[in-house]
Amino acid sequence: MLATIDIKVTRAANSKLKEIDFDNLPFGKNFTDHMLEADYINGEWKNVEIKPYQPLLIAPSNAALHYGQAIFEGIKAYKDDQDNAYIFRPYDNFKRFNISAERMQMPVVPEEIFIEGMRKLIEMDRDWIPAKPNYSLYIRPFMYASDEVIGVKASDTYKFIIILSPTGPYYAAPMRIWVEEKYIRAAEGGVGYAKAAGNYGGAMYVTAQAKKNGFDQVLWMDAKEHKYVQECGVMNVFFIVGDKVLTPDLTAGTILAGVTRDTVITVLKEMGFTIEERPVSIDEIIAAHKAGTLKEVFGTGTAATVATIKEMQYKDYNMQFDISNLATTTEVKKRVDDIRYGHAADVHGWMYRV
Amino acid sequence: MLATIDIKVTRAANSKLKEIDFDNLPFGKNFTDHMLEADYINGEWKNVEIKPYQPLLIAPSNAALHYGQAIFEGIKAYKDDQDNAYIFRPYDNFKRFNISAERMQMPVVPEEIFIEGMRKLIEMDRDWIPAKPNYSLYIRPFMYASDEVIGVKASDTYKFIIILSPTGPYYAAPMRIWVEEKYIRAAEGGVGYAKAAGNYGGAMYVTAQAKKNGFDQVLWMDAKEHKYVQECGVMNVFFIVGDKVLTPDLTAGTILAGVTRDTVITVLKEMGFTIEERPVSIDEIIAAHKAGTLKEVFGTGTAATVATIKEMQYKDYNMQFDISNLATTTEVKKRVDDIRYGHAADVHGWMYRV
């Protein structure tokens, strides 16, 4: 259905596949044999190329290194029991990528490059897709400014790249979360809804402080009142309170519109839950915890899928959750995984055949 | 006075100096023959090297391109009439660089590398320092994360680099400023006071919109009330109202602590002005404009030094300023320039001999 795209292909002379220990795959450390590259020059995308994975030659005056016009996406590919390869919801990440691009004053990437380029790249490296539970091929499309001038202005040229990394379970252990009340990740009118590089770098100081104190991640609050929970930087967050599920809404543009967030909301509705997407205050969460109605808390993200949260700390108040009985978290994850690994019908059209 | 530092020096085989048109120097486009590089590995800085200006070899999984741990500084070097070379206030930029580093969870760069490395690099490329009014050698120290892993975490390794660019006048023409009321640059608890790459990329969409409407720059407002003026992204801002000078204070941590801002405040005080560093509301500025007491408006920054503002637009309200009589703006710029070019005594110890 897509327009034909002229992709120059240069195959790697030797595959690195046999050098990789597929029983031990730390997240984002190993990359496949090939990468996709495209250049935005004079207002158009050109030089679309799949070539051996290799370093980039970047000028010291590169605009992205100085002024942060850089965005990315995270997507996963899976294999079913018949060795068919599928990408999970690539069109949703494609749309979000271009929303990020617009906010960062970067050009949109056309479907023929983002989707068809990704499909073709994965087709070439399909032997790299692990075929076991909780494993997948992590797909990282990204774009950065490539002007070589250090005047502060939007770059005229850009590079779009896709790299692939076989990956095992992420955040396998239940997590301890620090609720941050002073520092913020994003504010209304800012770039919080964009998957922009700077959102992650800006969060690292507080995350490092939290880690020093034994926490795994930070749950951010809103910038105005420091009262409403936002997201975890690498995950959206869900609270099961009584028979309802609460998760922060996207209206303010301060949190990422997670594709896994949307997947989980859809699946929870199918399981009969009422989902309330609305501002969720930390006071409400604490009150529910005190009343004993806060049953499960989990994060969602492409890397983590569904990550169990076992503890949250807000100021002096500590909340522990019973992780011996995570009926809903477990069931949601199972249902999403069943679709991804081809064990359940793909009624939503989420699986894109490679 | 500084500890001896072991800098490996590799000289360029040929100088590019004669290829440069020194009468036509667009900002940040031409770079000198050499650059300084240093690596942060295993908790220490090493491999300090001055070598020919050349591209960087960066992994596609480079942490800075994905997660935005990247900071920079802007400094200038000048020549006096006796051909002596000086760097303007490098220690102030050095301090701010390390404040930015801390906020972005990056290692501090030691004085021996930042200051002495810069001095030595400029000494080697001293023939590149233009010796005429409004011209200078722009110095760009920067640091970026260099881990080659795409898990979201602070990088373990970093690269520190200094590049040099001979430069002419920046923002020579009086500027038209758009006062932005919806989008924001920074918020309390964020990274606004850090010279982090993402602060600039996040501002480009709104700046591009403003440029489409004929404006040169955006004046940002605070994130909470959209009421108090902040900075212009590339400049701090000053308002001369009656016999006072108003400029936003640094308390909230949402604007950059400009070195030129501090220089100009010092010089204005010497000129007898009362400086009020405090929250400055747009309503107060508009009221002063209506009352006829808003006399001059200007921006300050390393690239621009002192930039005349001739017009500001807030919503439907347009303010024009009489640029035929800019007594104070002109005098401030002259006094700062006189120090920089060695025509006035350096009573504050701002000039650092190369």
Side-chain angles (χ1 to χ4, degrees):
Chain A
M1 241 54 78
L2 293 172
T4 311
I5 175 186
D6 186 24
I7 303 181
K8 184 183 165 193
V9 174
T10 308
R11 285 193 176 270
N14 298 297
S15 175
K16 298 171 294 184
L17 186 57
K18 284 176 186 161
E19 299 165 23
I20 307 298
D21 175 7
F22 271 76
D23 291 322
N24 178 23
L25 288 175
F27 184 82
K29 259 197 181 158
N30 302 298
F31 297 93
T32 66
D33 291 324
H34 301 94
M35 62 196 281
L36 179 135
E37 262 194 48
D39 293 312
Y40 185 82
I41 301 170
N42 293 327
E44 56 180 319
W45 286 101
K46 51 183 75 168
N47 309 331
V48 188
E49 188 177 1
I50 293 175
K51 61 183 187 180
Y53 186 89
Q54 61 191 269
L56 309 163
L57 212 55
I58 290 183
S61 56
N62 168 272
L65 288 181
H66 296 264
Y67 305 130
Q69 274 185 298
I71 60 172
F72 69 97
E73 273 300 331
I75 311 175
K76 279 182 173 173
Y78 302 85
K79 270 187 186 168
D80 67 13
D81 297 337
Q82 289 74 46
D83 199 48
N84 298 307
Y86 291 90
I87 311 170
F88 188 70
R89 304 189 71 173
Y91 276 92
D92 295 276
N93 294 86
F94 167 60
K95 282 175 203 153
R96 188 174 66 184
F97 188 80
N98 281 338
I99 288 170
S100 299
E102 190 186 11
R103 182 63 183 87
M104 298 300 286
Q105 193 61 22
M106 301 168 85
V108 296
V109 174
E111 184 178 343
E112 309 91 81
I113 298 177
F114 192 100
I115 299 284
E116 174 57 13
M118 181 188 301
R119 193 202 61 74
K120 187 158 183 156
L121 176 65
I122 295 174
E123 193 175 53
M124 281 179 63
D125 282 344
R126 59 169 288 137
D127 290 346
W128 287 82
I129 309 175
K132 56 180 172 178
N134 292 316
Y135 285 68
S136 60
L137 183 72
Y138 183 81
I139 306 162
R140 171 56 62 94
F142 64 106
M143 171 164 53
Y144 62 88
S146 53
D147 274 8
E148 304 184 352
V149 182
I150 54 169
V152 177
K153 62 177 267 300
S155 184
D156 288 326
T157 60
Y158 296 85
K159 182 80 88 173
F160 173 70
I161 295 179
I162 304 175
I163 55 178
L164 308 173
S165 175
T167 183
Y170 192 73
Y171 293 139
M175 298 167 74
R176 299 183 68 208
I177 300 290
W178 170 259
V179 184
E180 174 61 31
E181 52 159 343
K182 179 186 168 198
Y183 290 100
I184 58 153
R185 174 189 171 275
E188 277 190 63
V191 301
Y193 66 88
K195 215 160 167 68
N199 285 336
Y200 295 80
M204 283 173 184
Y205 173 77
V206 179
T207 305
Q209 301 300 315
K211 282 185 180 172
K212 271 183 203 163
N213 293 320
F215 297 93
D216 300 295
Q217 288 292 332
V218 172
L219 176 57
W220 301 97
M221 303 239 270
D222 74 290
K224 253 185 196 152
E225 302 178 65
H226 300 272
K227 184 175 162 186
Y228 296 99
V229 300
Q230 302 277 298
E231 58 152 287
C232 286
V234 294
M235 307 186 304
N236 292 110
V237 66
F238 287 76
F239 304 92
I240 304 181
V241 178
D243 56 355
K244 285 179 190 167
V245 181
L246 312 182
T247 193
D249 65 297
L250 308 173
T251 317
T254 53
I255 68 174
L256 199 73
V259 175
T260 310
R261 174 186 179 278
D262 184 76
T263 301
V264 163
I265 287 173
T266 304
V267 169
L268 284 168
K269 282 181 183 167
E270 289 170 351
M271 286 165 64
F273 280 96
T274 301
I275 317 289
E276 295 189 0
E277 286 183 72
R278 60 167 172 81
V280 178
S281 76
I282 188 67
D283 292 342
E284 176 178 4
I285 296 304
I286 289 173
H289 180 259
K290 286 182 175 166
T293 55
L294 181 53
K295 293 176 183 169
E296 298 176 42
V297 184
F298 58 86
T300 64
T302 294
T305 306
V306 177
T308 300
I309 293 172
K310 68 173 179 182
E311 186 179 336
M312 278 173 53
Q313 175 93 28
Y314 173 66
K315 295 184 181 175
D316 291 335
Y317 190 70
N318 184 268
M319 291 169 262
Q320 309 261 351
F321 310 114
D322 177 12
I323 58 167
S324 67
N325 180 18
L326 295 171
T328 306
T329 305
T330 309
E331 175 67 14
V332 168
K333 185 170 186 323
K334 186 184 179 307
R335 288 197 184 205
V336 176
D337 279 348
D338 281 351
I339 298 169
R340 285 170 163 171
Y341 293 100
H343 301 153
D346 173 28
V347 295
H348 302 288
W350 286 339
M351 305 303 284
Y352 183 81
R353 181 81 176 260
V354 173
Chain B
M1 243 54 77
L2 293 172
T4 311
I5 175 184
D6 185 25
I7 303 182
K8 183 183 166 195
V9 174
T10 310
R11 285 194 175 268
N14 298 296
S15 174
K16 299 171 296 186
L17 186 58
K18 284 174 183 163
E19 298 164 22
I20 307 297
D21 175 8
F22 271 75
D23 291 323
N24 178 24
L25 289 174
F27 184 82
K29 259 198 179 159
N30 302 297
F31 297 92
T32 66
D33 290 325
H34 301 94
M35 62 196 281
L36 179 135
E37 263 193 47
D39 294 311
Y40 185 82
I41 300 171
N42 293 329
E44 57 178 320
W45 286 100
K46 50 182 77 169
N47 309 330
V48 188
E49 187 178 1
I50 293 176
K51 60 184 189 179
Y53 186 88
Q54 61 193 268
L56 310 163
L57 213 53
I58 290 183
S61 56
N62 168 271
L65 289 181
H66 295 265
Y67 305 129
Q69 272 185 300
I71 60 172
F72 68 96
E73 274 300 332
I75 310 175
K76 279 182 172 174
Y78 303 85
K79 271 187 184 168
D80 68 13
D81 298 337
Q82 289 74 47
D83 199 47
N84 298 308
Y86 292 88
I87 311 171
F88 188 70
R89 304 190 71 172
Y91 277 92
D92 294 276
N93 294 86
F94 166 60
K95 283 175 205 154
R96 189 174 65 183
F97 189 78
N98 281 338
I99 289 169
S100 298
E102 190 187 12
R103 181 63 183 87
M104 298 301 285
Q105 193 61 22
M106 301 168 83
V108 297
V109 174
E111 184 178 343
E112 310 90 82
I113 298 177
F114 192 100
I115 298 285
E116 174 58 11
M118 181 189 300
R119 193 203 61 74
K120 187 156 184 157
L121 176 66
I122 295 174
E123 193 176 52
M124 280 179 63
D125 283 342
R126 61 169 287 137
D127 290 347
W128 287 81
I129 308 174
K132 56 180 172 178
N134 293 316
Y135 285 67
S136 60
L137 184 71
Y138 183 81
I139 306 162
R140 171 57 61 93
F142 63 107
M143 172 166 49
Y144 62 89
S146 54
D147 274 8
E148 303 183 352
V149 182
I150 53 170
V152 177
K153 61 179 266 303
S155 184
D156 288 324
T157 60
Y158 295 86
K159 181 81 87 172
F160 173 71
I161 295 179
I162 304 176
I163 54 178
L164 308 173
S165 175
T167 183
Y170 191 75
Y171 292 142
M175 299 166 72
R176 300 184 66 209
I177 299 289
W178 171 258
V179 184
E180 175 61 30
E181 51 158 343
K182 179 186 167 197
Y183 291 99
I184 59 152
R185 174 188 170 275
E188 276 189 65
V191 301
Y193 66 87
K195 214 160 167 70
N199 285 337
Y200 296 79
M204 284 174 183
Y205 172 78
V206 180
T207 306
Q209 301 300 315
K211 282 186 180 172
K212 272 184 202 163
N213 294 320
F215 296 93
D216 300 295
Q217 287 292 332
V218 172
L219 176 56
W220 301 98
M221 302 239 270
D222 75 290
K224 252 185 198 153
E225 302 179 65
H226 300 273
K227 185 174 162 185
Y228 296 98
V229 301
Q230 300 278 299
E231 59 152 285
C232 286
V234 294
M235 306 187 305
N236 292 111
V237 65
F238 287 76
F239 304 92
I240 304 181
V241 178
D243 56 357
K244 285 180 190 165
V245 182
L246 312 182
T247 194
D249 65 298
L250 307 174
T251 316
T254 54
I255 70 174
L256 199 73
V259 176
T260 309
R261 174 185 180 279
D262 183 77
T263 301
V264 163
I265 287 173
T266 304
V267 169
L268 283 168
K269 282 179 183 167
E270 289 170 350
M271 288 165 64
F273 280 96
T274 301
I275 317 289
E276 295 188 1
E277 287 183 73
R278 59 168 171 82
V280 178
S281 75
I282 188 67
D283 292 343
E284 175 178 5
I285 297 304
I286 288 172
H289 181 258
K290 284 182 175 166
T293 54
L294 180 55
K295 293 176 183 168
E296 297 177 42
V297 183
F298 58 86
T300 63
T302 296
T305 305
V306 178
T308 300
I309 292 171
K310 69 172 178 183
E311 186 179 337
M312 277 173 52
Q313 176 92 29
Y314 173 66
K315 294 183 181 177
D316 290 336
Y317 190 71
N318 184 270
M319 292 169 263
Q320 308 261 352
F321 311 114
D322 178 12
I323 58 166
S324 68
N325 181 18
L326 295 172
T328 307
T329 305
T330 309
E331 177 67 14
V332 169
K333 184 171 186 323
K334 186 184 180 307
R335 289 196 184 205
V336 176
D337 279 348
D338 280 351
I339 299 168
R340 284 171 165 170
Y341 294 99
H343 301 154
D346 173 27
V347 294
H348 303 287
W350 286 339
M351 304 302 285
Y352 183 81
R353 182 81 175 260
V354 172

